[in-house]
Structures are given as structure tokens and as C-alpha cells.
Amino acid sequence: MNLYQHFRDQIVRIIDDLSASGDLPGPLDTARVAVEPPRQAGHGDITTNAALVLSKPAGMKPHDLAAVLAGRLTGIEAVSETEIAGPGFINLSLEAGFWHRQLKEIVDTGPAYGDSEMGQGEAVNVEYVSANPTGPLHVAHARGAVVGDALASLLEKAGYNVTREYFVNDAGAQVDALARSAYLRYREALGEKIEDIPEGLYPGEYLIPVGEALAKRDGDKWLDADEDAWLPEIRSFAVAMMMEGVREDLASLGIEPEVFTSESALVEKGAVDRVIKNLEDKGLIYTGVLEPPMGKAPDDWEPRPQTLFRASDFGDERDRPVRKSDGSWTYFATDMAYHLDKFQRGFKTMIDVWGADHGGYVKRMKAAVEAVTGGEGALDVKLCQMVHLKKGGRPVRMSKRAGTFVTLRYLIDEVGRDVVRFMMLTRKNDSQMEFDLEKAVEQSRDNPVFYVHYAHARCRSVMRNAAEQLGDKKVAAQALAGADLGLLTDTAELDVIKVMAAWPRMVENAAEAHEPHRVAYYLNDLATQFHALWNKGNDDARLRFIVNDNQPLTLARLALVQGVATVIASGLRVFGVTPVEELR
């Protein structure tokens, strides 16, 4: 249960009742009424802005309206006290019994606690990684992969029907360069000495196995052939091998997209021609000459007629070309067709996770989605900033084109899959990230991965000890849910329960904002509260989880410990991270 939504529903009902009875003018629009955690400790358990947002339409001073509402809010079940604060906020304190009931729900529900029906099964497409198939995945790809995958899991927990997708950019100049690079390695595999790799091709050694595999399959078939003959064949072969490696890299990170869509296949089946024709029929395609781009010297600019999309009609700064000078489609035209294809597959909500270098592409794609879907589709783009990798206090340099980039596999081998996944979510996607390989595995308070895992491991340690003393049946979740939770009266115990009870709201808010990093912050807060309670038990034996001469109190506290382990496991499941049972 999202307790904040629960109390908002009751507050809105009271406002409607007051309007119906004439105690307040009405009807009042309650859309802006919010119920949230208070910003400061000591200001109750929940707070509402109802009096502030309704004072003007009600024709009353906020404080006077708050006084009317506060008198009625005390009648809500579980509300023990109301207080008017500041200009008209109403703070509500809740009875301890309410928090005990929340703990029972957590233990009863297990890892599914926090599951929501907010999404109502709406189909959402989350496309992420979608790296050009020109080499292995590297560290920057890892961030987008983790953000996209965690966001998909978060949306699923919030009740959406999510499809994870990878768009294979297997058309255009870059894959032609890949094919030419693979051809050099093919000739090398057949015994030809290859000097420096020409400018514009990929020099990485990862293409040596591609050349060897091609030589093994085809022998010297392509040695004396014209490029027109071998280019499409080798391009297809190289892309297939690169994508096999990409799939393996993603699998090593625990990621398996459900759908792989090929750019070249879209072009071949005429999807781009159709979308451009559709836009032409709407008067959104024309031939024109663009102004020179910002910062371009006049003598570098060649004004020429181009086939343009009226992107400026949909909020973009300028209209955008859809056809190159050689007559082929631009990447933008292909992307328009691809997003229409997603829409036609039933996805009105589309989320794309891109690298930060695509920031200038966002407005035009949002404009395109609006145009090609007739305003029915919505595109949200999550830009992932660069990851600055460090080891031993020094930056680890990477350069994909030079073939010396740091691969995703290297990162996983250094710190492990779960550490990579968690660390990539400790910052908002559009914030710069410094990933220190040594700090990511150190066991300290400053390492968020360790700190959360440590809380879960401590919970599991308590439960193992309790099972040894009391038996497995008494410490099973079903038995603990029936414990006398009213015995949990210490402020520190209730504080932990309050953080746990906020998990359903966190799931819905983070899903609505498309921000999985919020889960990392939440898990850190829960771990902090639990460690604080643990430390209090070290200082005061009366607060220890296992009280040898008081089994009812022990069982109640074990229910709390089980609840913490449950919520941490639920959060880590969103991240695709396995909870640690014990730390060594």
C-alpha cells in the first residue's frame, strides 16, 4: 500500500464532504492536493498542502482553511494528532499501531512488497544500449545498459507491461567502415602483411577473429573480388559476429533484451519510404535551403536544396534533413521510421536511453515522434553522462576508435556484475560519474554497494542465529507476521518501519519520473536506519534483536529484521542485483 496515496484519498474525500455540506465552497479541484513525508523530523509522519492549494478557490486564508480541515482530519483512522505549521501545511502524526500493521504487510507480502498497479498494464518500450555493432561494448555502454534495464524492472514493478529492445544500427557509413576493417583482417588471416590501418577504419584487435573466421569459411574467395561484391557479404558477416559478442557482453551483465530490431531490415522493407511519404501527404516534407549552423564560417558552408522535415512545427529549433546528397536516407529519417514502427507495435510510451553525446538529437526526435504518431505517441529520452573510470587514483584511458577502450567485460572482471550494476545507479543518469575500481569493492561506509549489502547480510545473520536458537518454524516469515508487533515501541524501531513503509511510494514515484537511481538513495536511507538500530543494540542490550528471556519481544524484533531484509531484496531485485547472505 502506498500509504501517502491512502491518506490523500481520505483527505480528498473529507474535502468533498465539506464542500457538499456547505462548510466549504465547492466543488473544489483537488488535483494539486499532495500528501508527502514532512521535510523536517518532528513535523509529524505525513503532511498535506491541501489548505495552501485550495485557499484561493475557496476564498479563505490558508491558515483558516487549515483549521477547518485539521478538525476533520483527526477523525481519520490511525491519525493521532494534527498540527498546522507555517503558512498552512497540516502535519499528521500516526498511531504506532498503524506502523505495526505496515510491518505485518511487509512480512506477509515478501519481495513482492511495493508492487503497484499504477501502470495498469500499459505497454511501454524501453530501448537501451543500441550501440553500433562495430566493436565490443565498453564502459560508457555499461551505464546506459544498467539504467535502461533497471528502469524496465522498475516500471514492471509499478504495473507496466514493458518490452526491452535493442536497435541494431547495421546500416550506413559506420558499418561499411566495419566491413572494410574486417576485410583487412581477412586478408591478414590469409597471410598478407597489413601495415597501419587506414584513417577512418577500426584498428582494434577485436576484428582479428572476424577476419580469421571469414577466411576459414570462405577461403580466398574475396581476395581479388571488387568491393561491390564483397562489401555487403562481409558487412553482414562482421555485424553478425559483433552482435554475437554484444549479446554475450550484455548477458554477462545480466541483460537480455527481448527484441532486436535491425535498421537495415527497416530500410529494406520500405519503412523509411513509407514514413516520408506519410509526412509528405501531411505537408511536413519540403525542399529548402537551411541556414548555416551556429559557428560555421561562411566559406565552409555550401547552401544547397535539401529534403527537409518541418521539425520546427513541433518544437525543434530548425527543420531537419531527411535525405543525404547521395540520395540515401539520413539516420534521422531511419529513426523516424523506427519509432513509428514501435508505435505501430502498440507502444504509445517509448523510452530511449542514449549517451550524452546525443543530447542535440533529443528535440528533433521528440518532434518526429509527435509528427509520425499524430500526437498519440510520447518519447522520453534519458541521457547518460560519461563514466570516468579510475584505478589507483589514476584515470583509465579509453578510446574506441584507437582500439584501446576499456571493455565492459574488463569492468565486470575487475569488480563483479552486481557491483557494476549497483554503482551505475548511484547517480542520476545525466550526472557525471566517477567509477573508482578500488573503492567500488572496499568494505567501508563510503561504498554504497557494501553499505546496503552489509545491512542485508546483517539481517540474514540475525535470522540464521535465531533459527539455530528457536527453530526454523518459529522464524519463518508466516510465523513472524503473527508476532505481537505492538511490542516494538522504541523510536529507533519505529523509524526503521517508517522507512520500509515508504517503499511502495518510492516505487511509484521513481517509475513515474523514470528515475531508477532514486532506489539507490532509498536503499541507502534504509540501510542507515537499520545500522543505527543495530548500533543502539550494541550499546543497550535491551534493544538487541534476540532477547534470550523474552521470546515474544524477540519474535517481534525478528519480524522487523525480516522486513528490512525483504525490502532491501525487493529494491536490489529492481537493480538486478543479488542480495548478499553474508560478507567475508
Side-chain angles (χ1 to χ4, degrees), residues 353-359 382-385:
V353 182
W354 298 346
D357 56 336
H358 289 75
K382 313 302 291 185
L383 295 175
C384 292
Q385 286 289 343

Side-chain angles (χ1 to χ4, degrees), residues 242-292:
M242 289 296 100
M243 284 307 301
E244 182 179 344
V246 165
R247 289 173 188 262
E248 291 174 356
D249 287 348
L250 290 175
S252 70
L253 197 55
I255 294 173
E256 296 183 6
E258 296 144 314
V259 176
F260 286 84
T261 298
S262 163
E263 177 185 4
S264 62
L266 279 176
V267 174
E268 288 170 8
K269 70 180 184 180
V272 186
D273 300 270
R274 286 193 296 274
V275 75
I276 297 301
K277 178 65 168 61
N278 179 270
L279 293 173
E280 282 178 338
D281 293 343
K282 295 178 180 178
L284 296 175
I285 300 293
Y286 70 102
T287 300
V289 178
L290 291 175
E291 294 293 320

Side-chain angles (χ1 to χ4, degrees), residues 309-478:
F309 162 62
R310 297 186 188 277
S312 58
D313 287 2
F314 301 91
D316 197 6
E317 290 92 351
R318 56 192 292 154
D319 294 342
R320 302 293 179 176
V322 294
R323 195 183 289 277
K324 300 177 186 177
S325 56
D326 64 2
S328 63
W329 297 118
T330 62
Y331 286 118
F332 177 53
T334 306
D335 285 341
M336 294 171 86
Y338 171 49
H339 283 79
L340 177 59
D341 177 72
K342 286 196 277 193
F343 177 76
Q344 291 172 336
R345 283 187 273 135
F347 300 108
K348 290 186 177 181
T349 299
M350 296 167 260
I351 304 172
D352 291 357
V353 182
W354 298 346
D357 56 336
H358 289 75
Y361 204 66
V362 175
K363 281 189 176 180
R364 74 184 71 177
M365 275 316 306
K366 287 192 172 185
V369 168
E370 184 177 352
V372 301
T373 67
E376 294 185 45
L379 172 66
D380 183 22
V381 178
K382 313 302 291 185
L383 295 175
C384 292
Q385 286 289 343
M386 288 293 295
V387 178
H388 301 287
L389 202 63
K390 294 180 68 176
K391 186 175 184 179
R394 296 182 178 180
V396 179
R397 301 295 180 187
M398 45 188 165
S399 170
K400 181 174 182 179
R401 199 166 280 278
T404 59
F405 58 88
V406 179
T407 65
L408 167 59
R409 285 294 187 92
Y410 167 83
L411 185 60
I412 294 173
D413 290 343
E414 284 285 303
V415 300
R417 186 193 86 173
D418 285 354
V419 171
V420 172
R421 291 189 68 115
F422 196 110
M423 287 297 293
M424 291 296 180
L425 294 161
T426 55
R427 296 285 185 276
K428 189 178 180 183
N429 57 277
D430 58 3
S431 299
Q432 293 279 342
M433 169 172 282
E434 184 177 284
F435 194 119
D436 191 308
L437 295 174
E438 293 177 346
K439 288 185 177 180
V441 294
E442 71 179 15
Q443 296 190 351
S444 75
R445 170 68 180 87
D446 295 331
N447 180 359
V449 186
F450 167 77
Y451 196 61
V452 172
H453 274 316
Y454 191 26
H456 187 271
R458 276 180 157 176
C459 291
R460 300 307 304 150
S461 174
V462 171
M463 300 307 294
R464 285 192 298 271
N465 291 338
E468 289 178 4
Q469 296 183 38
L470 303 175
D472 291 336
K473 288 186 178 180
K474 284 193 175 181
V475 301
Q478 185 176 5

Side-chain angles (χ1 to χ4, degrees), residues 125-196:
N125 182 287
V126 183
E127 180 218 326
Y128 52 104
V129 190
S130 296
N132 292 328
T134 53
L137 298 181
H138 53 69
V139 173
H141 295 137
R143 189 175 191 184
V146 171
V147 168
D149 203 53
L151 176 54
S153 295
L154 177 64
L155 290 167
E156 286 173 336
K157 191 168 182 68
Y160 293 89
N161 180 14
V162 181
T163 294
R164 295 163 164 84
E165 185 155 342
Y166 188 116
F167 186 46
V168 185
N169 299 117
D170 54 358
Q174 287 183 311
V175 288
D176 283 348
L178 171 70
R180 294 184 179 104
S181 305
Y183 182 67
L184 286 180
R185 296 300 187 181
Y186 160 74
R187 287 162 46 193
E188 185 178 48
L190 291 174
E192 185 174 335
K193 184 174 178 57
I194 301 298
E195 302 295 340
D196 293 339

Side-chain angles (χ1 to χ4, degrees), residues 103-120:
L103 176 57
K104 175 177 171 51
E105 180 184 345
I106 293 168
V107 177
D108 269 335
T109 307
Y113 179 68
D115 287 3
S116 170
E117 296 180 357
M118 181 181 76
Q120 298 182 329

